[in-house]
Amino acid sequence: MGKKTTGAGVDLDELPGHYIRRLQQIAVAIFLQETEATGITPVQYAALQTVCNQPGIDQRSLARAIGFDTSTIAAVIDRLEARALLQRAVSPQDRRVRLLTLTPAGQQALESVLPGMRRAQERMLEPLPKAERAEFMRMLRQLVTANNELSRAPTME
């Protein structure tokens, strides 16, 4: 028979997943503090920035680009569209596909969130010595890239 295991003796401080989850909570809190006046969430920012970078992107491609599941991205887009920050248009090639573009108000909202977003990124990395920040980002990218296919919403490679 196999050895019986229990939760006794497991130290959360030794688990990378525990710290990754905590860092995500902290990152969202910092982002929201720095961008509070805009009312834009981190996921909404990612969506707006991606649509800005790729005007006419379809909803499915947007979801894959930001690592978000396709069923949930529709609600994010609904909220952004209700705020008149982006608009959907029917694809001329496939009427089932919706293409996304920023509205002028969306472009303005994106520009207004950028300073706070940049401050948030700096605050997230601030505890690390400047010389270690690039290495930390390299390791984060390596972990995410190597484990991408394990995600419920893998990004496009």
Side-chain angles (χ1 to χ4, degrees), residues 5-16 18:
T5 59
T6 68
V10 175
D11 184 356
L12 289 178
D13 288 337
E14 300 299 320
L15 304 177
H18 174 69

Side-chain angles (χ1 to χ4, degrees), residues 16-111:
H18 174 69
Y19 278 99
I20 293 167
R21 180 184 61 80
R22 291 287 297 130
L23 187 56
Q24 167 63 9
Q25 290 173 327
I26 292 163
V28 169
I30 291 170
F31 183 95
L32 293 175
Q33 286 171 5
E34 292 293 344
T35 63
E36 185 176 12
T38 67
I40 293 174
T41 68
V43 171
Q44 290 172 344
Y45 164 71
L48 290 170
Q49 187 64 64
T50 302
V51 171
C52 178
N53 293 347
Q54 300 175 54
I57 190 172
D58 65 89
Q59 287 183 204
R60 178 163 291 181
S61 297
L62 172 63
R64 287 192 54 86
I66 66 173
F68 223 68
D69 61 90
T70 54
S71 58
T72 309
I73 198 68
V76 173
I77 293 168
D78 287 344
R79 286 190 288 280
L80 292 171
E81 190 176 40
R83 291 175 61 186
L85 300 181
L86 59 76
Q87 59 192 14
R88 291 176 173 122
V90 175
S91 168
Q93 287 79 28
D94 185 343
R95 298 197 51 78
R96 297 167 296 175
V97 174
R98 299 294 180 259
L99 306 178
L100 307 169
T101 55
L102 290 182
T103 63
Q107 185 63 47
Q108 189 173 27
L110 184 59
E111 290 171 17

Side-chain angles (χ1 to χ4, degrees), residues 128-154:
L128 294 176
K130 286 189 179 189
E132 295 178 12
R133 294 174 189 177
E135 178 65 3
F136 176 74
M137 289 300 300
R138 185 196 65 75
M139 289 188 293
L140 276 178
R141 281 188 211 96
Q142 181 177 349
L143 288 170
V144 170
T145 301
N147 292 299
N148 184 51
E149 290 307 314
L150 301 174
S151 172
R152 285 184 18 219

